[in-house]
Amino acid sequence: MSAEPGQGQGFLSDVSRYFERAARHTEFSPGLLEQLRACNGVYRVAFPVERDDGGIEVVEAYRVEHSHHRLPTKGGLRFTPDLNQGEVMALAVLMTYKCALVNVPFGGAKGGIRIDPHAVSERFRERVTRRYTAELIKKNFIGPSLDVPAPDYGTGEREMTWIVDTFQALNPTQLDAYACVTGKPISMHGIPGRREATGLGVYYGIEQAMAIAEDMKRLGLEPGLAGKRVVVQGLGNVGYHAAHFAQEHGGAVIVGIAEIEGGIHAPDGLDIDAVLQHRRATGSILGFPGARNIQPSAEVLELECDVLIPAALERQITAENAPRIQARIVAEAANGPVDPDGERILLERGVLLIPDIFLNAGGVTASYFEWVKNLSHISFARMTKRQQEISNRRLVEMVEQVTGKTISAPERKILTQGPNEIDFVYTALEETIAIAYQEVREVWKARALPDLRTAAYLVAIERVGNCYLSQGIFP
Ligand code: NAD
């Protein structure tokens, strides 16, 4: 795994160090480990786009496919002004291990375009996204059975719509064209729950970790998220939804929020939805009624709390600030938010670190459901909802007959209603995250590994390596 000199080596070398640490615990040959390290395909492209003033702008973009052990490859598309090749390679590697951990049948990939999405017009973003898609099509770097992008930092449903529309226009006979990208809006054959899936998965993952009394006792915490103080960095797709579910479903108290413009602190709790409304209305989280402003924003990470959720970007916790982190649990919602030196200090101080490749895998899990739905050309609930309702109603009637009691109308409604598509997505997502956590924790304990990240990488590396061993090499 190496990028060109100076090209995002930091993040890539962080991921390589995590990989090497876990790979030592496998019995794989040096050659197989080399194959697991290598990015199978790296595509760098520069293309011209018309600026709003009629001029030409040359835009740099990437798509990296880390592992072809399963196809299609899968991974988000990010827009950032300081994007580089090493960063995209690191993110593609993480995707391979993430997919393996939650047992979704994809290899890992990632894409990126070097633009500041907030500094350009929507029309310009559309031209860039469509041209990027066309470039990927030319090189076979996109397609339902090849490589399937999704939202990531700086992108969302809008960009996914432009991608699928461009793909379909240039592949008019492809029946499965909608499966070329996930994270689409419902109107474009997306799936309910995908928008919030990564943050929801982060919440489910934290709940899983905090339910284990033995692990919480070691941290000096009572089990469960309810009443615990939470700080979140990044109020974007992942951070907002993670904090929203932690507050609304988990009963957590959000005491601090960091955004790019600064941070806010309120020891008695912040209403996450009100903060989001305030930011939408004023353009900033600063000045939120009842909260103290914090500048610079990074100081929010050091607030007193039980759970810290970095959900913005990589390399936010390093050897520089790790000694001042007060949280007992650091929950990596972003990709790579803690670098290895920062991690060493946190672990020495007894912090429980829930690793990114497990914790933010909810997004790709829901993307998998969306992809399957697109290939099936039918919604998950369509064939079962009414049948399930009939069956539930019969059961309720039988209970009434046997007991001689009448179930009230509101109770009857709850008991008899069949599942909607979103119910399938939420429950399957929770089950996936729960199983993955149990598997990782079991390996952590059974093989006496130093930390959860090493265990998560080991589980994933062994799955991918065994897949290569069974397949052999062809041609
Ligand atoms: P996003 O663009 O929706 O939101 C990111 C937010 O972080 C923005 O509001 C931005 O202003 C803020 N931010 C940037 N730098 C910051 C800083 N220094 N301090 C505080 N806030 C800062 O992006 P997202 O989709 O929520 O992605 C966030 C992270 O989660 C990334 O690491 C991404 O790779 C990872 N991730 C995203 C998904 C997904 O489905 N979107 C899935 C898995 C992992």
Side-chain angles (χ1 to χ4, degrees):
M1 285 183 241
S2 70
E4 287 163 25
Q7 297 284 295
Q9 285 291 5
F11 186 16
L12 187 57
S13 90
D14 292 352
V15 173
S16 302
R17 280 170 69 183
Y18 292 140
F19 174 88
E20 299 304 336
R21 206 171 62 189
R24 280 201 292 275
H25 297 274
T26 70
E27 295 187 350
F28 292 150
S29 69
L32 179 56
L33 289 176
E34 196 48 43
Q35 166 59 14
L36 291 172
R37 280 184 203 102
C39 280
N40 294 163
V42 179
Y43 181 42
R44 177 186 174 276
V45 61
F47 49 78
V49 179
E50 189 182 342
R51 281 204 308 254
D52 292 342
D53 64 7
I56 291 173
E57 179 127 346
V58 176
V59 175
E60 184 182 327
Y62 297 88
R63 186 74 188 169
V64 173
E65 294 174 356
H66 169 245
S67 180
H68 289 163
H69 71 291
R70 293 234 194 282
L71 287 172
T73 50
K74 188 93 188 68
L77 168 66
R78 67 166 47 178
F79 286 180
T80 56
D82 46 9
L83 183 85
N84 56 65
Q85 184 174 315
E87 169 187 348
V88 188
M89 288 170 78
L91 290 160
V93 174
L94 291 177
M95 280 308 299
T96 293
Y97 298 125
K98 210 176 289 186
C99 292
L101 262 191
V102 288
N103 271 313
V104 297
F106 302 131
K110 203 78 180 192
I113 304 182
R114 198 181 163 102
I115 57 165
D116 181 351
H118 307 294
V120 296
S121 70
E122 181 163 313
R123 292 281 304 128
F124 184 78
R125 275 207 325 270
E126 177 174 355
R127 288 195 293 276
V128 168
T129 310
R130 288 185 182 277
R131 175 65 188 240
Y132 174 73
T133 309
E135 296 292 339
L136 296 186
I137 293 169
K138 278 196 249 171
K139 298 286 178 191
N140 268 341
F141 265 81
I142 186 170
S145 59
L146 290 174
D147 188 350
V148 182
D152 192 68
Y153 187 90
T155 64
E157 291 175 4
R158 204 71 236 263
E159 287 74 19
M160 303 308 118
T161 300
W162 293 325
I163 291 174
V164 73
D165 187 59
T166 308
F167 186 86
Q168 211 172 31
L170 298 178
N171 294 277
T173 58
Q174 262 218 37
L175 184 62
D176 292 331
Y178 279 106
C180 78
V181 66
T182 57
K184 304 178 292 289
I186 309 295
S187 59
M188 293 296 285
H189 302 267
I191 196 165
R194 172 58 185 93
R195 186 185 296 167
E196 64 270 35
T198 310
L200 179 60
V202 167
Y203 159 64
Y204 287 148
I206 295 172
E207 284 278 28
Q208 285 296 319
M210 294 192 76
I212 299 174
E214 179 194 338
D215 296 349
M216 291 306 105
K217 193 171 170 202
R218 193 177 59 77
L219 300 174
L221 294 175
E222 290 296 317
L225 183 56
K228 301 294 190 311
R229 297 161 303 164
V230 170
V231 166
V232 61
Q233 182 197 37
L235 203 56
N237 179 285
V238 178
Y240 162 70
H241 286 112
H244 168 84
F245 286 106
Q247 181 183 277
E248 295 300 314
H249 294 227
V253 184
I254 312 294
V255 295
I257 302 172
E259 248 301 335
I260 209 147
E261 63 272 14
I264 51 175
H265 179 214
D268 293 335
L270 295 153
D271 178 337
I272 193 78
D273 290 285
V275 174
L276 191 71
Q277 289 310 323
H278 174 81
R279 188 169 196 243
R280 283 195 180 134
T282 66
S284 168
I285 60 170
L286 297 174
F288 183 72
R292 174 172 71 90
N293 289 343
I294 295 188
Q295 295 279 20
S297 163
E299 282 183 11
V300 172
L301 300 175
E302 300 164 21
L303 287 172
E304 207 181 307
C305 65
D306 302 304
V307 184
L308 171 61
I309 308 179
L313 278 174
E314 56 272 10
R315 310 199 98 199
Q316 298 300 302
I317 300 174
T318 62
E320 194 281 314
N321 61 354
R324 300 190 298 278
I325 301 291
Q326 301 194 57
R328 302 301 297 143
I329 298 174
V330 173
E332 290 190 328
N335 284 310
V338 181
D339 82 353
D341 296 330
E343 184 194 55
R344 184 178 41 76
I345 295 167
L346 294 179
L347 294 176
E348 278 167 10
R349 297 179 50 225
V351 171
L352 178 71
L353 203 143
I354 312 176
D356 50 5
I357 58 167
F358 157 70
L359 196 66
N360 68 32
V364 74
T365 304
S367 276
Y368 169 50
F369 303 150
E370 180 177 334
W371 179 76
V372 171
K373 171 183 171 172
N374 293 152
L375 296 179
S376 325
H377 300 269
I378 190 162
S379 107
F380 286 110
R382 184 157 181 183
M383 300 300 284
T384 54
K385 185 175 164 64
R386 185 162 289 246
Q387 192 279 333
Q388 185 71 50
E389 281 174 356
I390 292 167
S391 166
N392 292 350
R393 204 164 56 227
R394 286 193 186 126
L395 208 64
V396 164
E397 282 163 6
M398 194 170 287
V399 168
E400 285 181 328
Q401 262 177 26
V402 171
T403 61
K405 292 185 177 155
T406 305
I407 289 169
S408 72
E411 279 168 344
R412 175 182 289 264
K413 195 167 171 227
I414 293 168
L415 290 171
T416 56
Q417 76 188 2
N420 290 313
E421 195 165 39
I422 196 159
D423 301 318
F424 285 117
V425 172
Y426 276 23
T427 52
L429 179 59
E430 185 170 7
E431 176 73 359
T432 302
I433 297 291
I435 289 174
Y437 192 75
Q438 284 157 20
E439 288 171 341
V440 169
R441 188 180 179 278
E442 200 175 305
V443 167
W444 179 30
K445 297 292 165 188
R447 293 171 73 168
L449 297 169
D451 52 81
L452 263 180
R453 191 193 310 278
T454 307
Y457 268 74
L458 184 58
V459 170
I461 290 170
E462 290 191 335
R463 282 186 188 159
V464 180
N466 285 329
C467 182
Y468 276 117
L469 285 177
S470 341
Q471 283 169 188
I473 299 174
F474 178 83

